[in-house]
Amino acid sequence: MPQPDKADRTPRTAVETPGKPRTPAGSAGSRRAAAQRLTMRRKLAAAAMELFATKGYEATTVDEIAAAAGVARRTFFRHFRSKEEAIFPDHDDTLVRASAVLDAAPPHENPLDTVCRGIKEVMRMYAASPAVSVERYRLTREVPALREREIASVARYERLFTRYLLGHFDERAHQHGDDDPLLAEVAASAVVTAHNHVLRRWLRGGGEGDVETQLDHAFAIVRETFGTGIGAGRANADGEGAAPAASARTEGEVLVTVARTDAPLSEVMRAIEKALKKR
């Protein structure tokens, strides 16, 4: 699988124009520039997809894509490095949004829950334009170069989420019998795999149905499999085992649940489900 170059791996958080000072990320000017950039990328992507569908991928040139979008060739190359990259206009911006979800995660949240929330940004990107996503899926199945580009894009998300999960653990811990680093890497792969499984099924079905509900179900399976192990036995700043945000137990016909007021609902529900299964 081809790996994207360094420029691919670095989300764009500011806008730079040759000869002009760098625009700080988050400013009004930066947001306008980002919106204009995304609009042009989508316009070029639409032109590319139409030409790929009518003329074929191999027969379509960058000059033809630029002409169909009503721009110069140099404008195309300001936004994309190649014609196969042109049908994925949203991945850079989606990677930035997913990264922002991780950066803004509340301290009490299970890191696996945070990763699941982050990758939902990817699903929402596809679900925002079902017809376009379905057609793009068809093209990537038919054209190996487009398929390779898609795989490289998925790899970027997986690296982002793996780094996030590993950042919550001491990467040297495995030397002392702690499996957290291994579990973090496997869990990140599982989240991406679950997302891709649901996405492919949705695309094959023509982009019909509530894909976010399907994704939540897939993530529940991942959390049940990996979530309770990540961070188990991890010491807090005082060297003591960190208390869970929520716990539940059965006492006869009564279910007793104890949770912090800031505990995520998903963690409370997992504790309840676990207790009920033990009955």
Side-chain angles (χ1 to χ4, degrees), residues 20-146:
K20 293 184 179 181
R22 197 167 187 247
T23 304
S27 69
S30 174
R31 289 193 295 272
R32 282 195 300 272
Q36 292 169 356
R37 171 180 169 274
L38 185 55
T39 297
M40 177 53 68
R41 284 170 65 88
R42 287 175 175 171
K43 185 176 182 179
L44 287 165
M49 287 183 62
E50 184 173 353
L51 286 168
F52 292 165
T54 55
K55 291 193 61 175
Y57 171 77
E58 295 295 341
T60 299
T61 67
V62 167
D63 286 337
E64 289 172 327
I65 296 172
V71 299
R73 173 187 173 91
R74 65 180 179 275
T75 300
F76 177 94
F77 284 112
R78 279 205 295 267
H79 294 276
F80 301 110
R81 286 182 293 274
S82 62
K83 65 180 183 179
E84 63 265 21
E85 188 179 295
I87 70 164
F88 301 100
D90 297 334
H91 276 306
D92 285 349
D93 299 274
T94 302
L95 191 67
V96 170
R97 290 200 305 274
S99 181
V101 170
L102 306 186
D103 292 342
H108 65 261
E109 187 172 47
N110 185 302
L112 189 56
D113 286 337
T114 306
V115 166
C116 288
R117 289 197 301 108
I119 204 170
K120 275 191 173 184
E121 293 296 328
V122 185
M123 183 64 79
R124 288 167 183 153
M125 174 192 72
Y126 285 95
S129 303
V132 173
S133 297
V134 169
E135 176 60 18
R136 182 165 54 195
Y137 178 71
R138 185 189 66 77
L139 284 170
T140 57
R141 303 282 70 73
E142 296 176 355
V143 182
L146 299 180

Side-chain angles (χ1 to χ4, degrees), residues 175-199:
Q175 298 174 1
H176 307 291
D178 187 341
D179 290 331
D180 271 354
L182 171 63
L183 190 57
E185 195 157 352
V186 172
S189 297
V191 169
V192 174
T193 300
H195 169 273
N196 293 343
H197 173 84
V198 171
L199 177 60

